[in-house]
Each structure stands twice: as C-alpha cells, then as structure tokens.
Amino acid sequence: MSTTTFSNLVEMQESARKRFASLNLFGTKVDGSWQWLTYEEFGKQVDNFRSALLAKGVSKGDKVAVISDNRVEWAIGAYGSFGVGAWYVPTYEATLPKEWHFILEDSGTRILLCSRKEIYEKVRGFVDEVPSLEAVYCFELPEDHPDSFKALLKLGEASPAPTVALEEEDIACLIYTSGTTGKPKGVMLSHGNIISNVNAVQKIFPMREEDCSLSFLPWAHSFGQTCELHCMMNMGATVAIAESVPKLMDNLGEVRPTLLFSVPRIFNRIYDGLQKKMADESPVKRFMFNKGLDVARQRRLLRDQGKRSALLDWQYGIFDKLVFSKVRERLGGRLKYAFSGGAALAREVGEFIDDMGIVVFEGYGLTETSPVATANYPDNQKIGTIGKPIPGIEIHICDEEQKVLGDEQDGEIVVVGPNVMQGYYNRPDATAEVIFDLNGKRAFRTGDMGRRGKDGFIRITGRFKEQYKLENGKYVSPSPLEEQLKLSGFIVQACIYGFNKPYNVAVIVPDFEALIKWATDEGISDTSPEALVANPRVMAKIEQEVDHYGHEFKAYEKPQRLLLVAEDFTPENDLLTPTLKLKRRNVIALYEQQIQSLYA
C-alpha cells in the first residue's frame, strides 16, 4: 500500500506508472470479453494526448471539457489535460444539451471531448455558438476522421512533449455542481485540493495492488473521480469499467471486485432486491435467512461495544456458510469493502449489508471539499454516521452566527482544510456566501445540518436549503424522511412537500414490478402503471407502506396525503441530477397543480 504523498495529480500518475507499470489499471468489456490496459500502456496514451494538446496550442489555464460516461479515454483526457496545466471540465452524457451549452460557455472551454457519435452530432455546432470553443473531438469516430480522438493521439505520438511545471494552487478541475436548486456553479478544485484527499485516503483506507473495483459511479462527480479513479491509481489497484447500471449484476459476477464505490441508491437496490427474493423463497429458507440476520445483528451490537461472543461467532460462521456467502456470490464473491457517499445511507441498509459480511464505510463531503471531509474507516466505524474527519481536516458544527457549538448540538457542518475549493468560477458573490474566516482559518459552509456525538462521530440531520417551515411553525428536513420511505419494496422515489402548509404531502413513484405482482395476487385486472396509480386499493397499500416505514417520524413530519405518479424520476426527464439526487424544485413544479389539490 502506498504511503508516498504527492503535491499534484501529474506527479501521482507518473509515480504510479513507474511503480505498477506491468499491472492492470483499466478493464473494459469489448465484444463479450474483458480487455485490460496496464499502467504503462495507459501512461503512453496520456503522453500522446498531452503532446497533442500542446501541438494544438492548449496551454496552462485553458479549459478542456468532456461529455462522457466512465471510459479509458475519459481518464486519458483528464491526465493529459493536467499535464499541460489545463483545467478539466467534466459533464455527464445524461445532462441536457442546453446544460452542456451553458457549461461550455460559462467555463470558456477551448477543446471539447465527447464519447459517442450521437453526442458529437448534437454538439459539433457549438463551435459556431460558443465563442471560446475551437474544436470538438469524439472518442468513437474512426481514426481517419478529422475530429477523431484517435487521430489526436497519433498527432501527439508524432510530436512528444514533456509535462509543464505545476504548483499546488494550479486548478486541476472545474466541476459543475448538479444544480438541484438553480444554475450549476463551476467549482474550482486545485491540484492541492484533490491530492490532499488522495494523500489522506491512503492513510486510512485499506486499498492494495490486488484490489479491483467495478466502476459505475461517474468520474464527472468528485466522489467517483477522487475516491475511485485517483485513489485506486495511487494504490496500484485495478478499475473495471461497468457496461451500464442495468448490467451491473452481470458485471459483478464477471469481474469479481473486492471494492465497490457507490451512492445509496445502488445499495438500496441490493437491499430491496434481496428482501423481495427472500419473500418468494420457501418458509425454511426465509427462517434461515432471518435467523442468520438476527445472529449477525447481535454480533454487530457486541462488536460496537468492543465485545465478542464465541457462541455468536460460531453461529455466524454457520449462517455465513449456508446463507450469506451465497448472497456475496451474487456480488462476485470477493467483495470486502463498500464505500458509500453522495447522500446519507439509511441505517437499516448499512446494517443489512454489514450483516452480509461486507464492510460498509460511509463518508461525507461535497464537490466543494474535493470531496471527502469525513469517513468511517477501519477501527473507526459506526453505522448510521458519516464517521470522523479524515486526516488534515477539521469539522465544526456552527450556529447561524457561525459560532462553534459543542457536542450533541445541531448546527451547520463547516469544513476547514486543504481540500476546500478555491471558489466558484466567476462567482465571487456565491463564493463569499460559503467561504468565511473561522478563528483565522479558511472555512466552508456546507449547508448541511449535523451534530457531533461525544464519541466524535458525526451524523447528518438535514439540509438547510431544503428545510422548510409548516404553517404551524415546525421545521421539516425532507431528505432523511424520503430515504426512509424508499426502504419500502413498493416505493422507488419520494418527494415530500409542505412549505407554509398545514401538513406534509408526498409525491410517490411506486415500484411497479413489485406493485404489479401484488395487484395480480389481489385480483386487480388492469395493471398498467396509469391504472395502478389511480386505483384506490393501490393507494391504500402505499399508505400502509408509508405508515410502516415512517413509524418513527414525528407526527408533523408524516405525509398526510399522497400523490402516486406513473413516471419515474430520472436524469433524462430532469427530475434527478446525473448523480441521482432529487431535483426537488422540478418535481414540485411538474406536479404543482396535483400537489395543491391535496390541500383542497
């Protein structure tokens, strides 16, 4: 495991190339089989792309943008851009073209890379519309096409050039926030910001050369980019790039990863899928499964107290062999650790996966903190919390006057450390709203509410920007409530609303696969999504689920009326961000009339 610290990403990548030259870095499935690229082979392609950029006149401070899901060319583009001192500006394939246009224009991008020909056809005209944009290159165009990425690599191979000198304060990435509450803002992350996270992570997380991840969390998101791409490379590990989320289970079985980086939604799917599968099993199998979970729970509770039981360990060993090992086999059979970030993981889900014999490390951070600020890690783990500050980071809980509060007090989470962004690009006013001086140190206001326990572990309790007040003056933080409701096998999405209203309501997207099976068993003949959401018996069923999974809600928090809708929330319909966060304002605007009718 690496213990060397670095001052920039280029230095880290070149060191990894030398240390792990013959090891596999990336795996990609091509024509039904996995093909692997070594650290040395990747390094040569980075050299070629860097040299091509220099040949095209790209220099320090210029912007190179990319529209692509995870793929080897994405990483070549990143490290090649870093090597000339250019800012890498990633965005998502699922983003709407108008947002691509905004990001390119706002950032002043000179060179645009894109993944597929169909995206190339949508964006090549941007050269005539965005003043700064000079060229668009596509990963999948043939080498003889003038806008081919392959042709760029050939150009660079013919005219090799060295990397430029970099300082820690030089910008590496301009990452645009998802825009859940307005126009995206460009977050300026320096080499020093990102590499501080890489250096800290290697001190606390057990990644080794023999480890392998299955990559599906977007590298355009700072969590996927820093924690998987950069950190795995620094450790000499292997990254297999998943074909797609629908093929995730197949790819897990093929690649057999040891590490998994994910957001809660994927862990929720695993939890939900196993619960539904067990519901269809024989009574004997259900008994074994539930008894095994009970033993695992008792063992975990003792572990949290620093104790052990030889009897429980023996019993767990039996259930692990008969039950849990078979569950892990569906995930490839080698999975040791799962890293969760991007949003709060429901405690029930974290405990469930932990009981299966897969250690879940939940962390916390934002794009503005490069991203990791806190994490659970070996010998410092408490499920249901976001862990403790990582090395070099200070976390403070502050009140509205930016005064530091004591333990067990709710307030805003504030981050101090070398991971705090340089600011929002061309948005000094927005930067001034979140960056302030705290006891002589540069501090970042996260907008998230939390509290620190006396044991040092931190919990998220809500988000200031989403918090609203009911008519009776009670404050509601909807996100934790929504995540709790989504534990139901009948609920895929939930959006709770009640701003200045007498009570909360919720827009619910049912899990139609589960609902159709239930409706068929209940003798309901019309099982189209549109008919189901309008059926009073279905409404009664979902209300039961809300009652059950919301039983710990305070009385004023519980949704009193529901709106069932047939269309899922997705990035494509602009109801989720590309990182699968709820675009609350868009959902409320889309269903405004129906929501208001719930108060009639």
Side-chain angles (χ1 to χ4, degrees):
M1 187 170 71
S2 173
T3 55
T4 306
T5 58
F6 302 99
S7 61
N8 63 69
L9 292 166
V10 174
E11 185 181 60
M12 184 274 288
Q13 181 259 322
E14 291 181 338
S15 172
R17 177 180 178 177
K18 292 175 184 175
R19 287 180 288 143
F20 314 117
S22 62
L23 299 184
N24 290 332
L25 172 55
F26 292 119
T28 308
K29 196 172 184 183
V30 181
D31 297 328
S33 62
W34 287 89
Q35 298 183 4
W36 303 92
L37 191 75
T38 68
Y39 276 76
E40 175 60 25
E41 290 166 339
F42 173 74
K44 288 179 179 177
Q45 295 195 51
V46 169
D47 289 345
N48 292 341
F49 183 62
R50 179 187 67 245
S51 300
L53 287 178
L54 289 168
K56 291 288 183 180
V58 176
S59 59
K60 199 170 187 178
D62 285 337
K63 320 303 191 302
V64 177
V66 60
I67 302 170
S68 175
D69 292 339
N70 296 0
R71 53 192 297 159
V72 173
E73 295 92 336
W74 194 105
I76 293 169
Y79 283 97
S81 298
F82 299 156
V84 301
W87 303 15
Y88 204 51
V89 188
T91 187
Y92 307 87
E93 289 188 17
T95 297
L96 299 174
K98 65 179 181 181
E99 292 188 25
W100 294 335
H101 193 287
F102 170 81
I103 289 170
L104 295 172
E105 195 162 47
D106 187 70
S107 64
T109 289
R110 280 188 66 185
I111 302 291
L112 172 61
L113 310 176
C114 66
S115 57
R116 296 179 287 113
K117 187 176 180 181
E118 60 192 85
I119 294 177
Y120 170 76
E121 295 297 338
K122 293 178 181 178
V123 301
R124 63 177 182 167
F126 287 0
V127 172
D128 298 322
E129 300 171 7
V130 177
S132 61
L133 189 61
E134 297 174 2
V136 178
Y137 297 98
C138 179
F139 298 151
E140 295 185 353
L141 288 177
E143 190 178 313
D144 59 359
H145 194 288
D147 293 340
S148 164
F149 185 75
K150 298 180 182 71
L152 266 185
L153 295 182
K154 280 288 185 183
L155 170 66
E157 186 178 19
S159 52
T163 59
V164 303
L166 292 172
E167 304 294 335
E168 288 190 13
E169 60 267 24
D170 288 330
I171 302 299
C173 286
L174 183 60
I175 301 181
Y176 279 78
T177 58
S178 302
T180 58
T181 57
K183 281 285 188 185
K185 298 189 289 288
V187 178
M188 296 185 290
L189 297 180
S190 69
H191 282 269
N193 290 150
I194 298 173
I195 206 68
S196 73
N197 244 218
V198 176
N199 291 334
V201 165
Q202 75 176 2
K203 294 177 182 177
I204 57 175
F205 281 132
M207 299 180 195
R208 302 182 184 278
E209 293 174 26
E210 60 268 25
D211 280 321
C212 175
S213 71
L214 180 65
S215 175
F216 57 90
L217 192 67
W219 296 337
H221 185 259
S222 57
F223 176 36
Q225 185 186 146
T226 297
C227 298
E228 185 168 41
L229 176 61
H230 301 321
C231 288
M232 291 286 280
M233 183 181 294
N234 183 42
M235 302 294 191
T238 303
V239 179
I241 301 171
E243 293 178 275
S244 63
V245 171
K247 293 185 178 180
L248 193 58
M249 296 306 294
D250 291 339
N251 290 167
L252 283 166
E254 296 160 353
V255 172
R256 303 182 67 238
T258 59
L259 309 176
L260 195 65
F261 298 84
S262 185
V263 291
R265 189 174 186 183
I266 300 299
F267 292 117
N268 291 350
R269 285 180 182 176
I270 294 171
Y271 171 85
D272 185 44
L274 287 171
Q275 296 283 10
K276 288 174 180 173
K277 179 176 171 59
M278 293 314 301
D280 292 333
E281 293 287 2
S282 67
V284 173
K285 285 188 176 180
R286 285 203 302 273
F287 172 80
M288 291 289 288
F289 186 73
N290 290 327
K291 180 62 177 174
L293 284 178
D294 184 55
V295 168
R297 182 184 62 81
Q298 294 180 57
R299 185 168 174 264
R300 172 170 39 79
L301 290 174
L302 277 181
R303 182 194 69 195
D304 291 346
Q305 299 170 35
K307 302 176 182 178
R308 293 188 65 172
S309 162
L311 175 61
L312 287 175
D313 286 348
W314 176 75
Q315 290 177 322
Y316 182 84
I318 294 173
F319 285 112
D320 186 63
K321 184 175 181 180
L322 295 176
V323 180
F324 302 146
S325 63
K326 293 178 174 58
V327 173
R328 293 197 301 274
E329 199 59 39
R330 292 191 66 210
L331 304 175
R334 296 199 306 155
L335 198 58
K336 299 181 299 184
Y337 305 117
F339 302 93
S340 179
L345 180 68
R347 186 186 185 109
E348 293 91 332
V349 176
E351 290 175 344
F352 179 82
I353 294 173
D354 191 78
D355 291 344
M356 294 293 107
I358 300 166
V359 180
V360 181
F361 294 126
E362 184 174 6
Y364 165 78
L366 301 91
T367 301
E368 290 89 340
T369 59
S370 304
V372 186
T374 72
N376 286 274
Y377 51 93
D379 301 322
N380 283 276
Q381 183 194 18
K382 191 168 187 178
I383 295 173
T385 76
I386 56 171
K388 297 179 179 180
I390 65 172
I393 305 302
E394 298 175 22
I395 297 293
H396 301 281
I397 308 298
C398 295
D399 65 13
E400 294 180 358
E401 304 299 320
Q402 299 171 357
K403 177 185 174 183
V404 176
L405 301 173
D407 293 342
E408 303 296 349
Q409 289 185 277
D410 285 336
E412 182 174 15
I413 298 173
V414 170
V415 181
V416 175
N419 61 334
V420 172
M421 67 168 181
Q422 302 304 297
Y424 295 118
Y425 186 58
N426 286 338
R427 302 284 291 275
D429 292 345
T431 303
E433 290 176 5
V434 296
I435 300 290
F436 70 101
D437 182 274
L438 181 64
N439 300 326
K441 297 180 180 179
R442 193 166 176 270
F444 171 72
R445 299 179 56 191
T446 65
D448 287 315
M449 298 184 295
R451 69 168 60 180
R452 187 198 312 270
K454 295 187 184 301
D455 54 9
F457 286 91
I458 299 167
R459 296 180 186 274
I460 295 284
T461 58
R463 181 148 180 82
F464 276 113
K465 288 184 179 178
E466 293 179 347
Q467 188 182 52
Y468 58 83
K469 190 185 290 187
L470 290 169
E471 198 177 73
N472 61 9
K474 298 287 188 180
Y475 282 100
V476 175
S477 294
S479 292
L481 309 179
E482 292 157 354
E483 291 303 313
Q484 188 65 29
L485 295 183
K486 288 191 290 184
L487 294 179
S488 164
F490 289 90
I491 297 173
V492 170
Q493 292 288 355
C495 177
I496 291 176
Y497 173 81
F499 174 69
N500 208 27
K501 296 292 185 180
Y503 51 82
N504 278 335
V505 299
V507 180
I508 301 284
V509 180
D511 184 322
F512 286 103
E513 183 179 348
L515 196 56
I516 288 169
K517 183 179 183 301
W518 173 85
T520 302
D521 292 343
E522 291 289 309
I524 296 173
S525 56
D526 191 343
T527 57
S528 66
E530 292 74 16
L532 287 173
V533 299
N535 189 305
R537 291 169 65 190
V538 170
M539 175 64 78
K541 174 63 178 173
I542 300 299
E543 286 174 343
Q544 287 178 2
E545 294 294 302
V546 169
D547 285 342
H548 176 73
Y549 286 91
H551 71 280
E552 292 186 352
F553 292 0
K554 298 180 178 69
Y556 64 85
E557 292 176 328
K558 181 184 170 186
Q560 300 300 310
R561 301 192 70 184
L562 308 178
L563 171 65
L564 307 187
V565 297
E567 183 182 13
D568 196 3
F569 304 163
T570 67
E572 288 71 25
N573 61 21
D574 207 25
L575 299 181
L576 293 182
T577 71
T579 54
L580 307 181
K581 294 187 181 75
L582 183 68
K583 286 194 171 183
R584 187 175 307 280
R585 186 167 63 178
N586 290 9
V587 173
I588 293 167
L590 179 63
Y591 296 109
E592 182 178 13
Q593 196 170 1
Q594 296 99 311
I595 289 171
Q596 295 308 321
S597 70
L598 298 178
Y599 294 101

